[in-house]
Amino acid sequence: MAMIISRLRALAVGTLTFLWMTIAPVSATTLLNTITEPFIGHGTNGYMFGAFGPDSIGVAFNSLASNKITEIEAFMSTSTTAAVGMNFILMTDAGGLPGVNLFSKGFSLGVNSPVLLTSLDWTVTPGTAYWLIALPSPATTGVWEFSQSLAGTIAVGAGVGFGTIPALLPEVRIEGELTAAVPEPSTWAMMLLGFAGIGYGVYRRKKLAAVTA
């Protein structure tokens, strides 16, 4: 009987460990951070895009060990005094250019406040290249501040196509995390049946032991 109890305890500890590993997320990981100066707001140290300039502008990054994008902060503003509609679009990488749209998030772009999008749930493949594209509403313009010290390659949209140019990188921070898959309902059911079977087995052993005593 003592051996059975010991095995049950070991099984319970193993099950709790399994549940914690499959549900608890790993700490957030910064996938890209090009923010090197304080936010200025509408000014001259940024890329104008939309009605004045390219249709859209974007920056590449790698998902590293993350399988989900959770937060985006960007130093963007409007070219006017009125707020405009803006969209962030997550796109695949197709040979060094933005490829297929995966996710999008619309928001209102103001003059004196940086953009902060939280609680995103964009699924990505770990270790994969992606593009984050900013696209304003039709006939409006956005200004994406750029780093004074970090240079690289940016994407510029023109109509239905994209090109890339060497330039100072737009100021943005992208956060991701690695979250293990939650067990399917069938998996939970099998685990519960397993515990029920073990409990019933213990009950039967105790009953048989009482009869033979």
Side-chain angles (χ1 to χ4, degrees), residues 2 4 62 119 130 136 161 180 186 199:
I4 295 175
N62 192 287
S119 302
Y130 293 93
S186 59

Side-chain angles (χ1 to χ4, degrees), residues 3-162:
M3 183 179 294
I4 295 175
I5 295 175
S6 177
R7 289 179 177 176
L8 283 174
R9 287 176 178 171
L11 180 61
V13 171
T15 301
L16 290 175
T17 302
F18 167 77
L19 293 177
W20 181 84
M21 291 178 65
T22 54
I23 297 176
V26 176
S27 298
T29 300
T30 300
L31 307 181
L32 178 68
N33 188 4
T34 60
I35 296 176
T36 56
E37 291 86 28
F39 177 72
I40 296 176
H42 177 51
T44 59
N45 64 330
Y47 297 113
M48 295 185 67
F49 59 103
F52 301 100
D55 296 331
S56 58
I57 190 169
V59 61
F61 68 98
N62 192 287
S63 58
L64 303 179
S66 299
N67 61 5
K68 181 185 296 185
I69 293 174
T70 58
E71 184 174 302
I72 297 174
E73 180 183 18
F75 283 6
M76 307 178 77
S77 59
T78 67
S79 62
T80 64
T81 57
V84 302
M86 181 68 65
N87 295 277
F88 265 135
I89 305 172
L90 181 68
M91 303 185 71
T92 61
D93 178 81
L97 291 171
V100 178
N101 293 8
L102 297 177
F103 298 96
S104 64
K105 176 70 174 180
F107 56 93
S108 179
L109 182 62
V111 177
N112 296 316
S113 298
V115 176
L116 180 60
L117 304 179
T118 61
S119 302
L120 297 175
D121 191 18
W122 292 358
T123 302
V124 294
T125 302
T128 304
Y130 293 93
W131 288 86
L132 180 67
I133 305 296
L135 176 67
S137 299
T140 61
T141 300
V143 178
W144 197 345
E145 296 180 15
F146 50 71
S147 167
Q148 300 296 312
S149 57
L150 299 177
T153 300
I154 65 172
V156 289
V160 295
F162 282 94

Side-chain angles (χ1 to χ4, degrees), residues 150-196:
L150 299 177
T153 300
I154 65 172
V156 289
V160 295
F162 282 94
T164 58
I165 57 173
L168 294 172
L169 295 177
E171 292 197 294
V172 62
R173 176 179 58 84
I174 304 174
E175 298 290 333
E177 68 179 24
L178 177 63
T179 303
V182 177
E184 295 290 334
S186 59
T187 303
W188 289 109
M190 291 297 292
M191 291 173 61
L192 292 174
L193 286 174
F195 276 117

